[in-house]
Amino acid sequence: MTYKTVQNPVDSTGNDPWVVSHEGKYYYCWSGGQGGTGGVRVARIQSLDKIRTSTHSQVYAAPPNTMYSHEYWAP
């Protein structure tokens, strides 16, 4: 039996990451920034090994200085 080491492709800089597949594309979602203050971000990628190099969009940011503007999670 031969064993091969595989590196996890999920970017370790995002918080609460998750991935879904739809119609041949992957959608990677995470909350960005320290303490969840960087908004919720989404990237559409062709394959999971492209997560670290993908362009992304911020799809949600809580209004600043509110009781819910820190420590929120990606859905």
Side-chain angles (χ1 to χ4, degrees), residues 41-55:
R41 300 167 186 275
V42 174
R44 183 175 60 190
I45 54 179
Q46 298 283 33
S47 63
L48 295 177
D49 63 338
K50 305 291 187 221
I51 284 177
R52 291 186 180 155
T53 60
S54 65
T55 57

Side-chain angles (χ1 to χ4, degrees), residues 22-75:
H22 179 68
E23 296 183 355
K25 305 262 192 238
Y26 293 96
Y27 294 86
Y28 170 51
C29 181
W30 71 100
S31 50
Q34 183 93 14
T37 60
V40 175
R41 300 167 186 275
V42 174
R44 183 175 60 190
I45 54 179
Q46 298 283 33
S47 63
L48 295 177
D49 63 338
K50 305 291 187 221
I51 284 177
R52 291 186 180 155
T53 60
S54 65
T55 57
H56 59 271
S57 298
Q58 183 172 320
V59 296
Y60 175 78
N65 303 317
T66 61
M67 66 183 206
Y68 51 89
S69 63
H70 297 286
E71 305 298 332
Y72 55 90
W73 296 88

